[in-house]
Amino acid sequence: MATTQILPKGVSAREFVRALAEFGRIVGEDYVIRSDEQLLPYRKAMLPEQPEPLICSAVVIPANVEEIQGILKICNRHRIPIWPISTGRNFGYGSATPATPGQVVLELRRLNRILDVDAELGTALVEPGVTYQQLQDHLKERNIPLWLDFPAPGPLVGPVGNTLERGGGQTPYGDHFGHCCGMEVVLADGAILRTGLGGVENSNSWQCYRYGYGPYLDGIFTQSNFGIVTKLGLWLMPAPPAHRTFLVQYPEDADLAKAVDVIRPLRLDRTIGNFGVLFNAALALTSFVRKADLHDGPGAVPDARIFAAARERGITPWMYSFSLYGRPEIVEVNSRVVTAAFEQSGAVVIPDIHDPMQVNELSLETFRLLNWTEGGGLAWFAPVCPNRGADMRNQHHLAKSIMSDHGLDFMTGATCIGREIENVMPLVFNPASAEESQRADACMRRLIREFTAAGYGIYRTGTNYMDLVASLHGATNLEVNRRLKRALDPNGILAPGKSGIQI
Amino acid sequence: MATTQILPKGVSAREFVRALAEFGRIVGEDYVIRSDEQLLPYRKAMLPEQPEPLICSAVVIPANVEEIQGILKICNRHRIPIWPISTGRNFGYGSATPATPGQVVLELRRLNRILDVDAELGTALVEPGVTYQQLQDHLKERNIPLWLDFPAPGPLVGPVGNTLERGGGQTPYGDHFGHCCGMEVVLADGAILRTGLGGVENSNSWQCYRYGYGPYLDGIFTQSNFGIVTKLGLWLMPAPPAHRTFLVQYPEDADLAKAVDVIRPLRLDRTIGNFGVLFNAALALTSFVRKADLHDGPGAVPDARIFAAARERGITPWMYSFSLYGRPEIVEVNSRVVTAAFEQSGAVVIPDIHDPMQVNELSLETFRLLNWTEGGGLAWFAPVCPNRGADMRNQHHLAKSIMSDHGLDFMTGATCIGREIENVMPLVFNPASAEESQRADACMRRLIREFTAAGYGIYRTGTNYMDLVASLHGATNLEVNRRLKRALDPNGILAPGKSGIQI
């Protein structure tokens, strides 16, 4: 069994072997993974490969908080960097791979208890290994009428990992961080922090009230490396008495700005109950055809072919899918309002479509887009766009022209949050081709630079691009993050490089 | 003109005089206040007086961020603690008074610019001196159909101070921290941090998206002393096409739990559009009578007299006032739903009442309760209660019995947030009576101790009680706050003692 040659930065082979043996004494040898074969699934990033591959040196899999504390002691002693993951399926953002080479992945899948569900208050308390599937099964078995809100890789992943990455979904509880309540965090020195009201002895309100007393800390444990979250409180939505999902079709590529300006007021006044997805023809086509079916040239599929293939399948250049939720009478009133608004702007409105993610059904439909090319390379470019037609048009033109320069197809599945849109664009490429992978990488870096230069920010990025994105979001911001890092993890053992933060 | 003898802790009279002179060179001598007469309004806390009074030594009033940076340099050099206030009217929580004696108040009222209002996106960017009145006038003058959400002292205070204290209001945007977006924070060393997407050069999305890239920091600048917030982004609600306010009256004191169990599902499914106020007869009576009119004994007014006086005025033991907002058809549907639900549980439902705070009208009605006794002493006891009848009943009995032991009248104006209720109870007393003031103080300390011992947490507290409350919300929580404090303000010059946090 080949053992990896990759070492954590600054750690000698001898010291590393000693540390792994110490890990083994805590978690059991079966839960320390170090052979290249066994590490393979943890090293598959889907992202463009980097000159120095961002892969782990080993994986350690604790069973509980005490074992995590033991691991941290060893890491502090030997300065071993660890990269915590829950299910490790952060697809298109790096999956289970660390932000710098050689970190030890700390896999939390064995911490998989559903510690509490309060059917009356609509709350839950779960560990990082709990999946959406597991939590949904738990609710169904007990006939608890609470809905979950899933991200795109729904059935495969869990609420803790997704919430900490500030992922989103497609019900009215789509802002996952906005619907979590109370964290248990193991700090680098092993201290256990319970945020919010979790610090009150025998607290009965930990999952009821988010902010606690004094500084509200939860936000600093998202998209960061300041602690290991081992329990997370969730707010779950009472199942609505009725719901209805719509598909709106705009006939022209130039209709994008118009669509956004109709959506915005309907989102701000909460007529439309969820973010919905505003997507283009190319993304819709990935469910039906492969790129090779439409185009055999080296570059992006020409617009004319995309639109022609779309037309054949009843797909228009821009579509928006969203839902209404509530009492039947209210869904009816709002159905009339949204239909009139979209039709007035020249769209066709199709009611009663089915989109699983919008109605509490687990699905992997989003990832059909991986069929577009061979090899399953995927990197999300996820800028924030003000919820305004002119800005979306601007982002569309900017992104499309950059992608086209790099021979990639412009696709977007944008979520219309409220005052902003997360304009989430997949770069789909074949990682088996070094040339294609390099093109995707160059494209992503240019997108990040040109969007931030235009005043737009980035909501989330893959492990490859964390340093770059962090460097463009304010020097003081990064410096403050470093100061917090040094305060909470003075040896820098937790996920160095996450969101660009090192000690 | 008498000059105060009070000094910041550990600062000599000579050094203090030198520092004040240096402040004067930065802000102009007129903006450094040090005479006892002029300091009087800054020293009135409304809270029970402490053995060592929590009063400031001086006030300095900068005009802009550059002057704040200059002041901070001086404070770091001389180790002068400063207590930032915006309007300083944190009534019932300490008003403008610091958490430890002798701090210099940093009054930010001259930073009073409304920097931006985006009518389309429903956002604003304001400085700490901007009041709700000023912002409302600004919107009205320009016919911008956006509502504000005010806390109880509405017209006198501003959104920055209230949001940073995590105050609340009575429209659907009642969670003020939950509806702010982007901060500019001057750190203790003078560095300027713009949170969220404010770090992106020429950011066009600072007020659109809250979380930014990497750790979401805003929460740590609330109820804390980690920086001076000099700009705050706000989300403003589009004026609803219709709204309707209801008063629900429960006939028996024992109906409290029943009321809560009707309210909870209607709040969780968003039928009831705002928190509403669940209040008892004693609080309602303060608008009509004084305590002395009902009772001349030393203790609390006996229940029988409260209920008799209430009956005469059509007031019942428990009442809940709330509003519906939206399209007229939807308000109509929801009117039927809420009326049926409350009536079924034995309440009388009175539609179409008027409560200014619920409909974007500035008012000081809440503070009528100061008429209850002489002298205007007020301290809020503000525990968090799970939104569940049994818990509210439990808190009611516990608080009432403690208050009665200390001769104070039980009143509550609880806001029904969602999964929790902020069970906000005023202790009203005459501060001119040392005995009464001491009783109120002892009562508050006992309330805090007994509620936390029962597993309940505290949402917010006055300057007198910050150390006590912080000590009961988790040793690790306090230690983490201290670590963050040391990282961001190593000399501990910013508001030492705020929320119990010192370096």
Side-chain angles (χ1 to χ4, degrees), chain A residues 59-321:
Chain A
V59 175
V60 55
I61 313 175
N64 54 46
V65 166
E66 295 67 35
E67 292 189 3
I68 293 174
Q69 291 173 308
I71 291 167
L72 287 169
K73 256 188 211 158
I74 299 165
C75 291
N76 274 304
R77 195 159 52 232
H78 299 286
R79 300 288 194 274
I80 308 280
I82 44 170
W83 183 264
I85 64 169
S86 46
T87 64
R89 283 139 175 170
N90 197 7
F91 295 151
Y93 291 115
S95 299
T97 65
T100 63
Q103 298 190 36
V104 174
V105 163
L106 181 77
E107 187 178 25
L108 302 174
R109 69 174 155 84
R110 292 170 71 204
L111 284 80
N112 62 357
R113 291 176 301 168
I114 297 168
L115 297 160
D116 185 54
V117 171
D118 188 317
E120 214 169 52
L121 291 173
T123 65
L125 182 67
V126 300
E127 294 186 325
V130 171
T131 63
Y132 286 103
Q133 184 73 63
Q134 181 188 349
L135 187 52
Q136 193 181 57
D137 291 347
H138 179 100
L139 297 172
K140 282 192 175 159
E141 279 159 19
R142 287 158 186 79
N143 289 312
I144 298 174
L146 294 170
W147 275 22
L148 301 183
D149 188 286
F150 323 110
L156 303 178
V157 302
V160 177
N162 190 265
T163 302
L164 296 179
E165 294 302 311
R166 295 205 298 263
Q170 282 296 340
T171 77
Y173 283 34
D175 171 3
H176 293 171
F177 175 68
H179 291 85
C180 76
C181 187
M183 296 175 171
E184 178 183 89
V185 187
V186 181
L187 300 175
D189 64 3
I192 294 175
L193 170 71
R194 291 191 169 186
T195 67
L197 291 181
V200 173
E201 227 172 302
N202 303 313
S203 176
N204 51 36
S205 321
W206 191 20
Q207 272 60 67
C208 298
Y209 180 59
R210 306 182 71 198
Y211 303 147
Y213 176 71
Y216 167 53
L217 300 178
D218 293 24
I220 69 171
F221 297 107
T222 62
Q223 288 193 1
S224 87
N225 51 12
F226 300 158
I228 300 168
V229 176
T230 47
K231 294 184 179 66
L232 183 71
L234 305 173
W235 286 350
L236 307 181
M237 182 171 96
H243 54 78
R244 197 175 190 192
T245 303
F246 292 79
L247 181 70
V248 175
Q249 296 191 310
Y250 279 92
E252 303 295 335
D253 199 33
D255 288 337
L256 173 61
K258 202 156 58 175
V260 169
D261 289 328
V262 176
I263 292 166
R264 184 186 53 256
L266 295 170
R267 277 297 295 148
L268 287 187
D269 73 5
R270 303 183 188 182
T271 302
I272 295 177
N274 62 345
F275 304 156
V277 192
L278 177 62
F279 56 109
N280 72 341
L283 186 67
L285 276 175
T286 62
S287 290
F288 304 96
V289 293
R290 292 159 177 270
K291 178 170 186 165
D293 301 332
L294 300 181
H295 182 58
D296 55 10
V301 183
D303 272 2
R305 290 213 200 146
I306 291 278
F307 293 133
R311 243 190 324 273
E312 282 171 30
R313 289 162 183 86
I315 295 168
T316 63
W318 289 102
M319 284 158 294
Y320 179 53
S321 161

Side-chain angles (χ1 to χ4, degrees), chain B residues 241-281:
Chain B
H243 54 79
R244 198 174 189 193
T245 303
F246 291 79
L247 181 69
V248 175
Q249 296 191 311
Y250 279 93
E252 303 295 335
D253 199 32
D255 287 338
L256 174 60
K258 201 156 59 174
V260 168
D261 288 329
V262 177
I263 293 166
R264 184 188 51 256
L266 296 170
R267 278 295 298 147
L268 287 186
D269 73 4
R270 302 184 188 181
T271 302
I272 294 178
N274 62 346
F275 303 156
V277 191
L278 177 63
F279 57 109
N280 71 341

